Amino acid sequence: MVAKRIIPCLDVKNGVVVKGIHFEGIQEVGDAVEMGARYAREGADELVYLDISASREGRNTFAQLVERIALGIDIPFTVGGGIGSVEDAARLLDAGADKISINSSALADPSLIGRIASRYGSQFVVVAIDAKCVEGRWTCTTHGGSRFTRRELFDWAREAQERGAGEILFTSMDHDGTRAGYACEVYARLNELLSIPVIASGGAGSVQDIVDVLTIGRADAALAASIFHYGTIPIPALKKALSDASIPVRL
């Protein structure tokens, strides 16, 4: 049985890790390289770094940060934010990232997924989807959740897979930062729809929340930020609890 993955997410703005609620109220929480190295030591399976400022100057600075991260950790890490071309992806992969994550740019130009996958392989391409439930419909957003699109979550996730995505990282904007639990029914539906791994993001507040999304939600990985950044649930304790609940994890 394939082990479930625990993935801390580090939102980076100007080289510093930050966190908010519902994508707003951003506060600084620590150094990007130091926090990543600590999570690697504690047993995280992977890391995700998202450049939430994503200006052109910020992307260049972010590439330099990625080089420092690659030197400081020994686990896979994904980077995203402001990747709008194959060249942008190449810059970050060449800097040492193991995968890249695309979101707004993929919705604007879905062919970007296939072009990056053709050059590097699907295993390098994570398509991130930020969506909000509006009148019963999960509507995809862009630009850090600030702009709504006409795309619907499940149709877009299926298309992203068909175009060459290796994983889907879905964040429920309704749950993000609330620590009130994941949207488990949505992840279960995505699991039934897709043949590629689904990473769950948005809402982790307790060990039980993560148990639920990995079992009821059938997610392949649980991504979280606040509970790790603020020490609510140490990764070793979380993994032991998951193992005790008969969920396969790497200890």
Side-chain angles (χ1 to χ4, degrees), residues 49-56 58-60 62 79-85 87-89 91-92 101-105 112 143-144:
Y49 284 90
L50 299 176
D51 177 12
I52 67 170
S53 44
S55 65
R56 179 164 299 277
R59 282 201 299 270
N60 292 333
F62 192 55
V79 296
I83 299 172
S85 66
E87 291 71 27
D88 289 338
R91 185 182 305 114
L92 295 170
S101 172
I102 52 176
N103 187 337
S104 301
S105 58
L112 179 62
H143 298 81

Side-chain angles (χ1 to χ4, degrees), residues 15 21 46 59 97 107 118 127 138-139 141 157 198 205 215 235 240:
I21 298 176
E46 298 181 18
R59 282 201 299 270
L107 281 161
S118 294
V127 171
W138 283 93
T139 302
T141 70
V198 175
T215 54
I235 293 173
K240 182 179 185 306

Side-chain angles (χ1 to χ4, degrees), residues 129 153-154 157-158 168 170 185-196 198:
I129 304 175
L153 167 64
F154 301 104
R158 182 170 50 234
I168 296 294
F170 165 56
E185 70 287 350
V186 181
Y187 293 106
R189 184 174 170 188
L190 283 170
N191 179 277
E192 292 178 0
L193 180 69
L194 304 173
S195 60
I196 58 176
V198 175

Side-chain angles (χ1 to χ4, degrees), residues 3-83:
K4 302 286 189 176
R5 291 170 287 153
I6 300 301
I7 307 176
C9 181
L10 300 94
D11 292 337
V12 177
K13 185 174 184 178
N14 301 321
V16 177
V17 178
V18 298
K19 190 69 186 84
I21 298 176
H22 298 307
F23 289 29
E24 298 178 350
I26 300 298
Q27 297 179 341
E28 295 185 2
V29 293
D31 179 82
V33 178
E34 292 177 1
M35 291 180 68
R38 174 165 61 85
Y39 291 144
R41 291 193 301 270
E42 291 177 353
D45 296 295
E46 298 181 18
L47 299 172
V48 169
Y49 284 90
L50 299 176
D51 177 12
I52 67 170
S53 44
S55 65
R56 179 164 299 277
E57 293 76 15
R59 282 201 299 270
N60 292 333
T61 301
F62 192 55
Q64 296 172 4
L65 177 62
V66 168
E67 292 179 352
R68 292 171 52 213
I69 293 167
L71 291 172
I73 67 171
D74 58 0
I75 60 174
F77 68 100
T78 300
V79 296
I83 299 172

Side-chain angles (χ1 to χ4, degrees), residues 192-232:
E192 292 178 0
L193 180 69
L194 304 173
S195 60
I196 58 176
V198 175
I199 303 170
S201 169
S206 68
V207 170
Q208 190 60 51
D209 291 337
I210 295 177
V211 169
D212 288 346
V213 81
L214 296 177
T215 54
I216 299 170
R218 300 168 63 190
D220 298 276
L223 180 146
S226 299
I227 60 169
F228 300 136
H229 296 345
Y230 301 121
T232 306

Side-chain angles (χ1 to χ4, degrees), residues 126-140:
V126 179
V127 171
I129 304 175
D130 300 330
K132 185 177 180 63
C133 190
V134 180
E135 298 181 352
R137 181 179 187 270
W138 283 93
T139 302
C140 300

